[in-house]
Amino acid sequence: MAATIPKEQWAQVIEQTGGPVHYKKIPVAQPGPDEVLVNIKYSGVCHTDLHAMKGDWPLPTKIPLVGGHEGAGIVVARGELVKDVEIGDHVGIKWLNGSCLSCSFCQQSDESLCPTPLLSGYTVDGSFQQYAIGKAAHVARIPKECSLEAVSPILCAGLTVYKALKESGARPGQQVAIVGAGGGLGSLAIQYAKAMGLHAIAIDGGEEKGKMCKELGAGTYIDFSTSKNLVQEVKAATPDGFGPHAVLLLAVSEGPFQQASEYVRSRGTIVCVGLPANAFLKAPVFDTVVRMINIKGSYVGNRQDTAEAIDFFRRGLIKAPYKVVGLSQLQEVFDLMEAGKIAGRYVVDTSK
Ligand code: NAD
Ligand code: ZN
């Protein structure tokens, strides 16, 4: 290991489910044979990190836990089996920290479906620390020309919405409704949709988010908090009035998951991405059958999707707003997120 790696580092630690996070010094871990140690410079803050702290999902986290899974940084050490990642390379710690690489899902590059995954900031420590461990096979390769702070939200939010748009089957020229468009995933979804030649109908709440969605390229913004008839407004935003070809459900509340089948176009696809606590999907069987509606889930993306999502960014096609604050301010970011007050993404700088 290079001599410059300290023994201790700053981290945000969840000591019990429910939170809060504690900003404190913890030891720097050493990479195993197939792992790299990454000096995290910036990490995006995803709503998943808040779900993890609150214990929202039916899957327990490790405790104590260092959250975070949009970590961009520089490789400072590697295990003896690692041959294809060099010290000094720019890489990303993403949600899927590692997978077995041998189950039938991994063999077919569906590694997010691996039954024994390592999840950054959930089952293994993630990127809300200055030095994080990642499996070398899974760290995202980041071209050196990409700014580490701007690329960090691509590592989960960008990748996830890019994959979800591909899963939707929507083709250039078609319409996609983005529900939760003003959040971290949503703001990037508008940009990816635009880059992929799709028309975006943005749905979220409040004027600030509306202004941002329009600036990012959404043709229409519908405010769910003031709309008198959201279903009618979504349909009216499509040229023939039949509704969007695809719906991306990125919101952190259950309501939109019950409503999407009312405005999606016949033969359209609803892609569920957001993970509100204790939520259920509901759709009328009659409409689903006679209007041939597809309803599916989409969960992050594989390593190829990651490389493609980063390449869209590298080419300058993806520019979504983010605010940078110190890692020490993570709890304040969570408080704003809980209140639904974040337009776009927050990124934490691990040096502050
Ligand atoms: P965020 O808090 O930044 O954004 C969520 C947005 O949803 C907010 O802007 C909020 O105003 C909006 N919203 C809430 N209720 C709404 C409603 N009724 N209609 C329209 N919009 C509404 O969160 P994020 O970081 O973008 O994450 C969104 C969700 O996606 C989270 O549940 C997260 O865990 C999940 N997620 C899933 C995957 C996956 O692979 N499937 C990956 C990353 C994140
Ligand atoms: Zn995430």
Side-chain angles (χ1 to χ4, degrees):
M1 273 205 205
T4 49
I5 302 168
K7 291 220 163 10
E8 280 203 318
Q9 56 162 342
W10 285 103
Q12 284 282 12
V13 184
I14 297 165
E15 283 162 359
Q16 58 183 40
T17 302
V21 282
H22 296 277
Y23 187 57
K24 60 193 267 194
K25 283 209 155 177
I26 62 167
V28 172
Q30 294 210 1
D34 60 343
E35 294 173 341
V36 292
L37 181 66
V38 185
N39 176 203
I40 301 292
K41 298 294 185 190
Y42 297 94
S43 180
V45 184
C46 179
H47 207 112
T48 291
D49 300 310
L50 180 57
H51 291 303
M53 184 173 79
K54 289 166 65 188
D56 275 347
W57 298 338
L59 176 72
T61 68
K62 90 179 255 295
I63 289 287
L65 172 71
V66 175
H69 57 273
E70 289 185 348
I74 301 168
V75 176
V76 291
R78 63 178 193 174
E80 64 267 25
L81 297 177
V82 179
K83 299 281 182 274
D84 61 342
V85 183
E86 304 296 331
I87 307 290
D89 279 0
H90 291 190
V91 299
I93 296 280
K94 55 188 177 51
W95 175 246
L96 206 64
N97 189 286
S99 68
C100 78
L101 301 177
S102 60
C103 70
S104 49
F105 297 105
C106 283
Q107 282 194 39
Q108 295 183 56
S109 307
D110 249 342
E111 55 241 29
S112 57
L113 303 182
C114 176
T116 54
L118 299 176
L119 306 175
S120 304
Y122 207 93
T123 64
V124 296
D125 285 342
S127 55
F128 295 147
Q129 55 182 340
Q130 293 173 310
Y131 292 88
I133 300 272
K135 292 287 179 194
H138 273 285
V139 287
R141 274 61 173 172
I142 300 175
K144 288 211 169 125
E145 67 211 83
C146 296
S147 138
L148 288 176
E149 61 174 54
V151 82
S152 63
I154 305 299
L155 298 167
C156 174
L159 162 65
T160 300
V161 299
Y162 171 64
K163 175 70 161 187
L165 285 166
K166 287 209 288 186
E167 287 285 319
S168 80
R171 302 176 66 83
Q174 296 186 332
Q175 318 279 327
V176 56
I178 298 170
V179 188
L185 267 63
S187 53
L188 282 161
I190 297 172
Q191 286 274 288
Y192 277 97
K194 188 176 159 199
M196 293 161 86
L198 297 159
H199 296 283
I201 301 164
I203 305 169
D204 210 308
E207 280 174 23
E208 186 197 357
K209 288 181 183 174
K211 188 167 170 281
M212 181 192 75
C213 290
K214 288 285 192 101
E215 281 166 8
L216 288 171
T220 311
Y221 175 71
I222 300 167
D223 188 332
F224 78 88
S225 63
T226 56
S227 172
K228 297 252 180 326
N229 189 338
L230 189 129
V231 171
Q232 212 167 51
E233 280 191 56
V234 176
K235 287 180 155 186
T238 60
D240 58 9
F242 291 149
H245 301 79
V247 181
L248 252 54
L249 290 170
L250 313 174
V252 284
S253 56
E254 191 178 17
F257 287 76
Q258 320 289 19
Q259 201 172 35
S261 60
E262 292 180 49
Y263 56 71
V264 71
R265 189 184 196 83
S266 295
R267 209 186 254 294
T269 300
I270 297 168
V271 188
C272 303
V273 174
L275 289 158
N278 307 311
F280 284 84
L281 257 171
K282 209 166 134 193
V285 171
F286 185 80
D287 278 43
T288 308
V289 173
V290 305
R291 300 210 298 108
M292 296 182 72
I293 297 169
N294 290 306
I295 304 176
K296 66 197 298 195
S298 187
Y299 182 40
V300 285
N302 66 17
R303 290 170 291 169
Q304 179 63 30
D305 299 315
T306 308
E308 291 172 15
I310 291 174
D311 194 55
F312 270 70
F313 176 86
R314 183 193 61 77
R315 284 182 281 154
L317 299 169
I318 308 298
K319 286 197 184 86
Y322 59 89
K323 288 197 182 100
V324 184
V325 298
L327 175 63
S328 57
Q329 292 165 270
L330 181 62
Q331 184 61 48
E332 294 158 46
V333 178
F334 281 153
D335 294 342
L336 286 171
M337 185 176 266
E338 177 89 69
K341 287 193 181 141
I342 298 180
R345 209 37 145 201
Y346 267 80
V347 169
V348 292
D349 174 344
T350 64
S351 72
K352 295 182 197 157

